[in-house]
């Protein structure tokens, strides 16, 4: 006959109790996760930005100045001008930074004729669209 160590039944009992505790905690965690679903991540940008063109009907080669104000955007943040290219927004080579007083101003010249849909983007916030007709 083989001798069973004295601590083996105690280890089996402890392992069983630990397994039950882990299974119960998992069920409670699942129930609490169902009762309190995670909040969706904030999809709102950190700030707001406006835009205004000094001219909306221009000849090719004419400089157009875009001005606007920001709200909730740090001073010194980079402002970029974008135009709609098909279904995508493409960043143009016109940029500036937000100045004291939360304002900005940037210039660009259009070389091709057509209707340009433009907006500015700063710190993840985008402005409403402004249209410039280039003839």
């Amino acid at each position: 006959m083989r001798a069973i160590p004295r601590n083996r039944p105690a280890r089996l009992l402890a392992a069983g109790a630990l397994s039950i505790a882990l299974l119960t905690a998992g069920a409670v965690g699942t129930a609490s996760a169902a009762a309190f679903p995670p909040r969706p991540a904030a999809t709102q940008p950190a700030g707001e930005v406006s835009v205004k063109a000094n001219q909306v009907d221009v000849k090719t080669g004419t400089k157009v100045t875009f001005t606007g104000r920001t709200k909730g955007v740090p001073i010194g943040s980079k402002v970029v001008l974008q135009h709609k290219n098909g279904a995508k927004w493409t960043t143009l080579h016109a940029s500036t930074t937000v100045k004291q007083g939360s304002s900005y101003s940037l210039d660009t010249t259009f070389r091709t004729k057509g209707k340009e849909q433009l907006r500015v983007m700063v710190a993840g916030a985008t402005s409403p669209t402004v249209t410039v007709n280039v003839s």
Side-chain angles (χ1 to χ4, degrees), residues 10-117:
R11 283 192 308 190
L12 287 173
L13 183 61
L18 182 60
S19 297
I20 291 171
L22 289 173
L23 288 173
T24 304
V28 169
T30 303
S32 67
F36 301 103
R39 293 182 182 177
T43 56
Q44 294 293 330
E48 299 174 13
V49 61
S50 67
V51 65
K52 182 179 177 184
N54 70 332
Q55 302 179 65
V56 292
D57 293 305
V58 298
K59 301 266 186 214
T60 57
T62 304
K63 180 173 77 170
V64 179
T65 302
F66 296 90
T67 57
R69 297 186 62 82
T70 63
K71 183 177 178 183
V73 175
I75 294 170
S77 297
K78 185 176 182 179
V79 180
V80 294
L81 182 66
Q82 297 182 322
H83 78 119
K84 198 163 191 178
N85 186 5
K88 292 183 178 181
W89 286 98
T90 306
T91 301
L92 299 174
H93 294 285
S95 66
T96 188
T97 57
V98 176
K99 307 289 187 248
Q100 193 72 26
S102 300
S103 65
Y104 69 89
S105 176
L106 59 88
D107 301 321
T108 193
T109 303
F110 296 101
R111 304 267 182 233
T112 57
K113 294 180 180 181
K115 192 177 275 194
E116 289 283 345
Q117 291 183 314

